[in-house]
Amino acid sequence: MLPPDPDSLDPQDWDAFRAQSHQMLDDMLDYQQQIRQRPVWQPAPDSARARFAQPLPRAPGALADAHASFLQDVLPYAVGNVHPGFMGWVHGGGTPVGMLAEMLAAGLNANVGGRNQMPVEVERQISRWMAELFGFPDTASGIFVTGTSMANLMGVLVARTQTLGVAARQQGLQGAPLVAYTSAAAHGCIAQAMDLSGLGTAALRRVAVNARQQIDVAALAHAIATDRAAGLRPFFIAGTAGTVDTGAIDDLSALAALAAREQLWFHVDGAYGALGMLSPQIAPLLAGIELADSLAFDFHKWGQVPYDAGFFLVRDGARHMAAFAAPAAYLRREARGLAGGSPWPCDFGPDLSRGFRALKTWFTFKVHGAERMGAAIAHTCALARYLAERVQATPELELLAPVTLNIVCFRHRGVASGDGDAFNGEIVADLHESGIAAPSTTTIGGKLAIRAAIVNHRTRAEDIDALLAGVLRFGAARLS
Ligand SMILES: *Cc1c(COP(=O)(O)O)cnc(C)c1O
């Protein structure tokens, strides 16, 4: 037998490597199992940052040393969304199962851009499951992407190609005055999609919302009519299923009917809310989602799949492919062998090389099952209602927005004469630095709100209690 090749990047001593890898796996399982004993978040000290300001390592180093650096300088200073006290923004909590599947995917080192391979079939399986979940027809197509920001951009691109014809991919817009619509409560990445696609943010109408933060459908119809009268060309409506600020869900059935009447593409940004379909209690709130032409959502939020795992689902797979497949490359595909199996994932999006995001998602569904995943989602909503009730029962606090799903916006009343926005902002920073809880802030009706988005399957009532106790304690300390 030949001696190990000193230039290979494989371990020279597999037995030692195995022992170290078991230690690494154990450390990460400990992190997940014992997460409650840690602060939600703590700032990274300058010493840790300094150790990440070193020149490129030229010579080999020990795996154990690299891992020790990770444990000392990286792991304690992450965002903290694994922690049940993390309630900022909309971040998923991840799972140990997802973590293991991610390791398997990396070991296989699958490039899921295309070719005749089973990992592509795993992704197609997820796509069929999602068509089933959302009531899309068999002709639907789906693809993993980084996140909903990318999926929303792809929604705009598919709608543009559908509206102007595939020639637009070659000739560009040629001055076509396309106009798109979404609500004032929509995520900023819808405007970004207009920017990146070359249509321009000025061609996006941000329609007013009602008191429940849902798009005002009558105002939308009026805006479309006004634009048509001005010679513009409406083409795209983006509804939201779960707004990022308050969790509001647009009237998707009404939007679908309006889009059908006006012959516009109906896209739904369901970044976190769409997977509410997994819960029998929440699914009715999403009625109409089955009528969307395209849907963007994330498995990495309410689905608890480790980052990143965004998804783009299109009702008519042919329209989806028409926006992205490169005709020349497509025609060169083989009927047999490793270059067979067309169409490939790269025909449905801008990425050629792509990781195996489907595997961690497949493992998550196989191991936990859709029902339990739905129950975990419903539980976050129950906790949000509990938090809202407690806010309303506490004289020092006020609720700033109705609770539709899992997001609660509230604030400490402070004192009438003080600057309530700065005061509440300081309370949130105090909470972050204490490591007790990590809500974020937003602005509701011109007031700064403490915003708790309960997404993590690990969060329990005691974490809500700790959040409230912290708000009251830091509020009282600042008032005294
Ligand atoms: C999180 C979110 C996005 C952005 O999704 P990413 O996965 O972060 O790109 C878009 N829209 C809504 C409503 C969101 O909650």
Side-chain angles (χ1 to χ4, degrees):
M1 211 176 84
L2 294 174
D5 176 357
D7 291 330
S8 165
L9 298 182
D10 279 335
Q12 300 300 298
D13 181 345
W14 275 97
D15 288 339
F17 184 85
R18 234 175 246 278
Q20 177 62 31
S21 66
H22 293 164
Q23 183 59 53
M24 291 169 70
L25 184 56
D26 264 346
D27 285 343
M28 218 54 213
L29 290 173
D30 284 348
Y31 174 77
Q32 303 216 349
Q33 188 181 3
Q34 295 157 18
I35 189 71
R36 283 178 175 279
Q37 294 160 26
R38 294 178 168 273
V40 181
W41 174 82
Q42 56 186 331
D46 290 344
S47 56
R49 292 185 197 276
R51 282 190 288 275
F52 278 79
Q54 290 176 356
L56 180 71
R58 299 275 168 186
L63 174 62
D65 291 345
H67 184 227
S69 293
F70 167 78
L71 288 181
Q72 182 192 332
D73 290 335
V74 180
L75 176 141
Y77 310 115
V79 162
N81 47 309
V82 173
H83 197 290
F86 185 88
M87 301 168 197
W89 303 276
V90 177
H91 283 28
T95 67
V97 166
M99 173 184 109
L100 291 176
E102 189 75 314
M103 186 187 72
L104 303 186
L108 197 56
N109 194 24
N111 177 350
V112 194
R115 314 208 197 285
N116 191 357
Q117 55 168 329
M118 201 58 198
V120 170
E121 206 54 52
V122 177
E123 184 157 350
R124 289 182 184 138
Q125 168 74 96
I126 303 287
S127 193
R128 288 189 292 267
W129 282 346
M130 291 306 105
E132 178 188 334
L133 180 68
F134 291 108
F136 276 37
D138 291 345
T139 49
S141 56
I143 186 167
F144 275 92
V145 291
T146 40
T148 291
S149 302
M150 176 56 97
N152 283 337
L153 169 60
M154 289 163 70
V156 169
L157 292 173
V158 174
R160 175 214 59 181
T161 304
Q162 172 61 25
T163 305
L164 299 180
V166 278
R169 291 182 56 190
Q170 190 189 1
Q171 293 158 6
L173 296 177
Q174 298 207 310
L178 299 185
V179 196
Y181 305 83
T182 197
S183 91
H187 194 277
C189 66
I190 306 267
Q192 188 197 42
M194 294 294 288
D195 166 0
L196 296 179
S197 61
L199 298 175
T201 55
L204 177 68
R205 306 283 180 260
R206 305 199 55 161
V207 178
V209 291
N210 62 24
R212 296 171 59 199
Q213 297 282 308
Q214 299 167 303
I215 192 167
D216 179 336
V217 179
L220 169 60
H222 182 72
I224 293 169
T226 306
D227 283 330
R228 282 206 203 282
L232 302 177
R233 189 160 174 197
F235 83 111
F236 182 81
I237 297 174
T240 302
T243 60
V244 71
D245 275 342
T246 67
I249 302 170
D250 286 338
D251 183 342
L252 302 178
S253 299
L255 289 183
L258 178 61
R261 210 159 52 235
E262 296 283 347
Q263 297 200 308
L264 310 184
W265 187 272
F266 176 39
H267 175 82
V268 173
D269 174 352
Y272 87 84
L275 283 181
M277 284 301 281
L278 293 169
S279 159
Q281 291 107 293
I282 297 168
L285 302 176
L286 297 163
I289 203 167
E290 73 284 356
L291 301 171
D293 291 306
S294 55
L295 172 62
F297 65 98
D298 289 322
F299 290 106
H300 57 225
K301 289 176 173 172
W302 251 354
Q304 315 293 340
V305 172
Y307 284 87
D308 50 32
F311 206 77
F312 180 54
L313 190 69
V314 181
R315 153 173 244 90
D316 180 343
R319 292 178 176 185
H320 184 178
M321 204 163 89
F324 294 108
Y330 187 65
L331 291 174
R332 273 204 314 274
R333 300 281 164 71
E334 305 296 339
R336 45 191 287 263
L338 186 49
S342 270
W344 291 346
C346 65
D347 300 318
F348 293 91
D351 295 317
L352 180 54
S353 294
R354 14 193 331 274
F356 194 4
R357 299 181 181 104
L359 192 67
K360 58 194 173 186
T361 309
W362 185 87
F363 263 85
T364 300
F365 276 103
K366 284 295 277 186
V367 175
H368 298 297
E371 287 173 9
R372 255 185 94 189
M373 291 166 70
I377 287 170
H379 184 61
T380 63
C381 296
L383 288 172
R385 290 193 296 274
Y386 170 67
L387 172 54
E389 281 161 21
R390 285 214 48 197
V391 165
Q392 285 175 308
T394 307
E396 293 93 328
L397 305 177
E398 87 183 286
L399 194 66
L400 292 185
V403 175
T404 308
L405 294 174
N406 62 326
I407 299 181
V408 184
C409 293
F410 66 103
R411 74 185 218 150
H412 196 300
R413 292 182 200 272
V415 285
S417 58
D419 176 349
D421 287 358
F423 176 70
N424 279 280
E426 295 293 344
I427 291 177
V428 168
D430 289 343
L431 280 168
H432 290 176
E433 287 171 5
S434 73
I436 294 171
S440 53
T441 59
T442 191
T443 305
I444 303 280
K447 289 180 177 176
L448 186 121
I450 302 174
R451 175 176 165 286
I454 302 150
V455 183
N456 194 329
H457 59 97
R458 300 179 181 91
T459 304
R460 307 198 286 240
E462 69 194 73
D463 302 300
I464 303 296
D465 295 340
L467 166 72
L468 283 172
V471 169
L472 292 174
R473 176 154 67 84
F474 290 122
R478 289 196 168 271
L479 288 173
S480 64

